[in-house]
Amino acid sequence: MAVNVLFQPPVVRRERHFRGFDPLEREFSDEELRQRYRFGRETIGYLSDLMRGDLERGTNKETALSVEQQVMIALRFYGSGSHLQVVGDTMGFDKSTVSRVIDRVTDSLVAMKDDFISWPDNQRKNVIRAGFYEKAGFPNVVGCIDGTHIRITGPSIDEPAFVNRKGFHSINVQAICDHEGRFTNISARWPGSAHDSHVFRTSAIGQHLENGYRGIGQGVLLGDSGYPCRQFLLTPYRQPAAGRGQARFNRRHCSTRSTIERTFGIWKKRFHILGSEIRMKPDKACRIIIACGILHNIAIMRNEPEVAEEQLIDNQPQMPPYNGPQDGKGIRDHFATTFLPNKLHVFIYPYFHKLSFIKKMRKFENSNKSLYDQFDNVLREEVCIFATSILV
């Protein structure tokens, strides 16, 4: 046995490669940075300075990540919702490094929650009241409340509790926003099966209003019918009576309360991790949700533009009427003969559709004949070019 040990081949260690880069050193414009990291250069610098005390490492190693690199790794993860491995490959870091960085940045942001998400004082409430009243004429509103489900991977512990009414695993997130879409309160600690009214009743803000509310002079919240109607939380009439202003109340209530729904949409569009699936344990998922809420408020405070989504161009043909057999085979034959007979038809169909449109315009609006004939000839020439290129 001693001989085997002496002549055991040496272990070949895999060579380590340090491939990371600093995106701020590249010549990205602010628009390109926002597409990748959801914030412009100045705001990324602001975030880095904000978290420098928590993220700066006491080492002189050349391979140590800078604060800016750590912030941008986390922003890439929040903004894209990609797997850790994909984020690491994109930015040139190992998956384990990405995981540690996301934990540190998330913890640093969550520690600052009270600095960026706080219940408004009396002076701020007056500003919020005026802002909501200007939107839809609903007076004395200091916030709109609603819940949203953030999808997560099914946990191994107490898995059924996280299945919501729609059948997927989630965290039920409750949030209150002001007239600008800024979060003034956010709670992310309940599994998806919890009802909105229960989340509110047991939340810190719910207990604060329940025990400390002194009248409508302090303002009211607007919520949907999933909440109980209370002196500090107004919900719409389920069956508004005619002639008593209840229908008008519901209309203005809906127009005002839609602020929180738009806020959720903007929030999830900026941070795709919230609209896809957080592939982590529930406690980590909750902290990431809070971190994204803080970043949302910072984006508003820093006047960051909303993230523009790519527009999908719908080039499919219109669906003509079908009067054949109402069964699977008949409809399949209709698709085969109408839309997919050969390549030539695929190219020609949109042009004939345009010609049909022009003819209708000519019939109903008496379009100029020479202009119509000129446009008609151009389209027909294009059809011939396409047909020739396909048949050759």
Side-chain angles (χ1 to χ4, degrees), residues 148 183 258-271 296 306 309:
T148 186
F183 291 128
S258 63
T259 305
I260 183 64
E261 295 174 351
R262 289 194 299 272
T263 298
F264 282 149
I266 294 169
W267 187 36
K268 291 183 179 182
K269 187 169 68 172
R270 185 182 297 277
F271 304 109
H296 169 83
E306 294 181 17
E309 291 290 337

Side-chain angles (χ1 to χ4, degrees), residues 233-276:
L233 174 55
L234 302 184
T235 59
Y237 292 97
R238 292 183 180 272
Q239 296 179 336
R244 298 182 59 184
Q246 296 181 4
R248 184 168 62 253
F249 174 95
N250 277 6
R251 286 195 300 270
R252 296 194 178 185
H253 182 285
C254 179
S255 297
T256 307
R257 194 190 63 82
S258 63
T259 305
I260 183 64
E261 295 174 351
R262 289 194 299 272
T263 298
F264 282 149
I266 294 169
W267 187 36
K268 291 183 179 182
K269 187 169 68 172
R270 185 182 297 277
F271 304 109
H272 284 183
I273 188 67
L274 304 177
S276 54

Side-chain angles (χ1 to χ4, degrees), residues 59-307:
T59 178
N60 294 323
K61 288 184 178 180
E62 294 182 0
T63 57
L65 273 66
S66 68
V67 173
E68 287 75 13
Q69 284 177 311
Q70 295 179 65
V71 169
M72 297 184 78
I73 288 172
L75 292 180
R76 182 71 169 176
F77 173 72
Y78 301 148
S80 67
S82 299
H83 291 269
L84 298 179
Q85 185 71 64
V86 176
V87 175
D89 290 345
T90 302
M91 300 189 65
F93 296 103
D94 188 73
K95 176 182 175 180
S96 59
T97 300
V98 173
S99 178
R100 289 194 298 271
V101 167
I102 290 171
D103 285 345
R104 286 199 295 266
V105 173
T106 300
D107 290 344
S108 179
L109 285 168
V110 171
M112 304 176 189
K113 178 184 176 184
D114 293 341
D115 296 330
F116 294 99
I117 302 178
S118 59
W119 191 243
D121 55 22
N122 291 332
Q123 183 178 1
R124 179 62 184 170
K125 282 182 180 179
N126 291 333
V127 176
I128 296 173
R129 286 189 183 99
F132 275 124
Y133 186 76
E134 188 176 353
K135 283 180 177 292
F138 203 113
N140 205 34
V141 177
V142 296
C144 296
I145 184 172
D146 201 2
T148 186
H149 287 270
I150 305 298
R151 187 186 292 265
I152 64 169
T153 300
S156 56
I157 300 176
D158 201 14
E159 180 268 341
F162 289 88
V163 180
N164 61 28
R165 66 182 185 278
K166 297 181 180 179
F168 62 86
H169 300 91
S170 68
I171 300 294
N172 190 351
V173 180
Q174 173 189 278
I176 302 174
C177 75
D178 62 14
H179 63 293
E180 296 176 330
R182 190 193 312 255
F183 291 128
T184 57
N185 183 267
I186 189 168
S187 174
R189 62 188 187 93
W190 285 96
S193 62
H195 194 273
D196 288 353
S197 60
H198 175 75
V199 174
F200 176 71
R201 187 173 60 253
T202 57
S203 66
I205 189 63
Q207 295 177 1
H208 168 74
L209 292 173
E210 187 72 43
N211 300 324
Y213 193 71
R214 298 292 179 266
I216 61 173
Q218 293 181 274
V220 296
L221 299 176
L222 299 186
D224 61 21
S225 55
Y227 296 96
C229 189
R230 305 297 305 276
Q231 67 270 32
F232 47 79
L233 174 55
L234 302 184
T235 59
Y237 292 97
R238 292 183 180 272
Q239 296 179 336
R244 298 182 59 184
Q246 296 181 4
R248 184 168 62 253
F249 174 95
N250 277 6
R251 286 195 300 270
R252 296 194 178 185
H253 182 285
C254 179
S255 297
T256 307
R257 194 190 63 82
S258 63
T259 305
I260 183 64
E261 295 174 351
R262 289 194 299 272
T263 298
F264 282 149
I266 294 169
W267 187 36
K268 291 183 179 182
K269 187 169 68 172
R270 185 182 297 277
F271 304 109
H272 284 183
I273 188 67
L274 304 177
S276 54
E277 180 182 73
I278 304 180
R279 293 170 287 272
M280 295 184 177
K281 293 181 179 180
D283 57 339
K284 280 191 176 183
C286 292
R287 297 178 72 78
I288 287 173
I289 293 167
I290 296 297
C292 289
I294 294 166
L295 291 172
H296 169 83
N297 279 8
I298 291 175
I300 294 176
M301 182 184 73
R302 302 280 302 179
N303 295 318
E304 286 285 336
E306 294 181 17
V307 176

